[in-house]
Amino acid sequence: MSRVLVIGCGGVASVAIRKCCQVSDVFTELCIASRTKEKCDELAAKLEGKTETKITTAQVDADDVQQVINLINSYKPDLVMNIALPYQDLTIMDACLACGVNYMDTANYEPEDTDDPQWREIYNKRCEEKGFSAYFDYSWQWAYREKFEKAGLTALLGCGFDPGVTQAYCAYAKKHEFDTIDTIDILDCNGGDHGYPFATNFNPEVNLREVSAPGSYWEDGHWVEIPAMSIKREYDFDCVGEKDMYLLHHEEIESLALNIPEVKRIRFFMTFGQSYLTHMNCLENVGMLSTTPVNFEGQEIVPIKFLKALLPDPASLGPRTHGKTNIGCIFTGKKDGREKTYYIYNVCDHQECYREVESQAISYTTGVPAMCGAMMLLTGKWNTKGVHTVEEFDPDPFLEALDKYGLPRKENHTPVLVD
Ligand code: NDP
């Protein structure tokens, strides 16, 4: 019996909401609130008569803390699921603290305006101190640890697939497969084809910022940063086949390095086709990925926002995307004094996802873990107070829920390693 406020009604949120509605005994009441209320109403109308969950909708600008506080005070949820954008993480966390409600999200904070001088000053210092230059990092949300702990509240950060399930895989490997883990390679493969020359599978602005940034990995206690897309490997993925993959910076590396301190190296690879990379390089070279406003015929335009308006809406890719995703982690380490390797991953089919929830697999593989993470908090299976990432909780009930609700794990004890 619980009331949940979901903020955001885009590709990922729509999947999470539909999955919550499949588990009405946990998600008794849902309020879907977003900037554009019509999208919430449209989804609520589609779900009418198909679920026991009682759905209401609301309009909210989550950049405005007071609006979120007012909404929380009027709806009185047990949990706020932030599935809007990383830009809203801090305002929604502030509102949850003010109202005494648990919080969760699917991506760590980054500012919308990267030219803000105050933010830049802190960012430049962090780049120097830590040695990676991505716009996002955990420091902003980790700064809330004490406040959440003192308030007796839980904030669950980054509960999608990667970040999210990948960290649960690491916690599972540590709990059941290894005494010590030496290396972790996180492999994110999308073998899907949507037929467009260029489109992103989730929010284009967030996605393109992520993949055009320098890559980095954790080795021997420090970050190693490399030019974007400069480390390439090939891997033969189960159910997908051979793909090119590139080393990227990714947020879970930061928390895993902290929470599994014995690990000597953590890398993250994502597959990209040549067409995607050619388009991205070209767009970057002409300045279309810039977040700095330009004046065009008397009007201020942010290039990457304009590009977002031109690209296909990720939510519209569902019916046209065929193929599978394969996301997981390869470990090396020791158990009972012996060297061993282990690979745990999930394979998800774009068309099967579309048939079930009218969405492609990228939103599905993020929305299902968001629902399962919310379920862990609402049923008290995960109840540590403070601000935490997924690997800090017991992975077993979470992975069991993922097995049951659409993202079953596969295992391989003799995987091919990435060199
Ligand atoms: P979309 O752009 O499809 O949806 C974002 C939603 O947030 C939209 O409904 C949008 O409203 C709403 N929104 C944006 N700004 C505000 C605001 N100020 N107030 C209220 N609502 C707002 O994004 P996705 O669904 O693709 O991604 C959602 C989140 O999931 C992102 O944080 C993304 O980084 C994360 N993600 C995580 C992954 C993981 O594996 N961990 C993988 C993929 C995504 P409107 O309709 O008005 O624009």
Side-chain angles (χ1 to χ4, degrees), residues 3 9 11 17 61 69 118 135 158 208 213 254 290 299 339 383:
R3 284 162 82 82
C9 192
I17 291 161
D61 178 358
I69 290 178
Q118 254 180 321
Y135 286 150
L208 289 167
E254 194 186 356
S290 170
Q299 209 179 328
E339 304 272 345
N383 58 15

Side-chain angles (χ1 to χ4, degrees), residues 90-334:
L90 303 185
T91 46
I92 300 178
M93 285 177 88
D94 281 330
C96 284
L97 269 176
C99 301
V101 186
N102 289 333
Y103 166 91
M104 66 170 287
D105 63 36
T106 59
N108 71 9
Y109 173 71
E110 65 180 280
E112 185 159 16
D113 176 11
T114 50
D115 292 326
D116 172 16
Q118 254 180 321
W119 176 83
R120 274 262 153 203
E121 204 184 315
I122 300 169
Y123 165 76
N124 288 337
K125 196 162 164 261
R126 187 267 283 162
C127 289
E128 235 168 71
E129 279 172 11
K130 290 212 169 167
F132 68 89
S133 60
Y135 286 150
F136 50 86
D137 74 283
Y138 277 112
S139 65
W140 299 88
Q141 292 179 279
W142 280 341
Y144 285 71
R145 277 172 176 155
E146 212 181 307
K147 288 186 201 160
F148 269 76
E149 223 171 283
K150 276 198 179 138
L153 297 172
T154 304
L156 170 62
L157 306 186
C159 197
F161 206 107
D162 45 340
V165 179
T166 48
Q167 286 138 294
Y169 285 164
C170 294
Y172 181 86
K174 179 77 187 153
K175 184 174 174 184
H176 298 287
E177 297 284 336
F178 293 92
D179 295 326
T180 51
I181 298 176
D182 292 332
T183 66
I184 304 173
D185 277 333
I186 303 168
L187 272 48
D188 179 332
C189 163
N190 180 8
D193 182 8
H194 44 58
Y196 286 115
F198 186 72
T200 64
N201 293 297
F202 68 97
N203 184 282
E205 202 179 321
V206 178
N207 184 214
L208 289 167
R209 274 191 188 196
E210 177 180 275
V211 301
S212 59
S216 60
Y217 58 98
W218 181 257
E219 192 167 50
D220 296 327
H222 61 88
W223 289 95
V224 181
E225 188 158 87
I226 53 154
M229 306 291 171
S230 60
I231 294 186
K232 176 187 168 188
R233 298 282 186 272
E234 274 172 28
Y235 200 80
D236 192 0
F237 289 91
D238 183 23
C239 301
V240 175
E242 201 131 308
K243 291 274 167 197
D244 291 341
M245 58 183 192
Y246 297 81
L247 189 144
L248 296 187
H249 175 83
H250 224 246
E251 64 201 66
E252 64 266 53
I253 303 177
E254 194 186 356
S255 70
L256 288 168
L258 187 81
N259 292 315
I260 315 183
E262 83 258 17
V263 182
K264 295 190 184 79
R265 192 187 66 205
I266 313 173
R267 301 183 296 186
F268 181 98
F269 291 92
M270 190 177 272
T271 62
F272 294 100
Q274 199 46 53
S275 169
Y276 183 98
L277 293 179
T278 308
H279 278 81
M280 199 187 72
N281 284 340
C282 175
L283 290 167
E284 183 163 34
N285 289 341
V286 298
M288 280 303 284
L289 302 188
S290 170
T291 54
T292 306
V294 291
N295 196 290
F296 178 72
E297 296 185 350
Q299 209 179 328
E300 276 225 327
I301 294 177
V302 177
I304 199 165
K305 283 191 191 294
F306 180 67
L307 175 64
K308 182 184 175 206
L310 296 177
L311 291 175
D313 178 357
S316 71
L317 300 178
R320 21 184 323 145
T321 308
H322 295 263
K324 291 177 171 40
T325 61
N326 177 326
I327 318 173
C329 305
I330 301 178
F331 302 91
T332 66
K334 287 170 205 71

Side-chain angles (χ1 to χ4, degrees), residues 7-13 33-36 39 60-63 83-86 88 106-107 158-164 201-204 206 308 313-314 362-363 365-366:
I7 300 183
C9 192
V12 175
S34 191
R35 189 167 50 185
T36 313
K39 288 191 192 168
V60 71
D61 178 358
D63 289 323
I83 322 182
L85 295 175
Q88 283 85 43
T106 59
C159 197
F161 206 107
D162 45 340
N201 293 297
F202 68 97
N203 184 282
V206 178
K308 182 184 175 206
D313 178 357
I362 304 301
S363 301
T365 53
T366 313

Side-chain angles (χ1 to χ4, degrees), residues 399-418:
L399 294 189
E400 279 158 25
L402 291 167
D403 288 342
K404 182 169 172 191
Y405 292 106
L407 297 175
R409 70 194 107 166
K410 291 179 106 178
E411 295 176 298
N412 181 349
H413 284 85
T414 52
V416 173
L417 301 180
V418 181

Side-chain angles (χ1 to χ4, degrees), residues 374-396:
M375 188 195 275
M376 294 300 107
L377 296 175
L378 294 167
T379 55
K381 292 198 170 87
W382 287 359
N383 58 15
T384 320
K385 308 302 174 207
V387 176
H388 300 287
T389 43
V390 172
E391 72 273 25
E392 295 179 75
F393 295 97
D394 183 1
D396 293 346

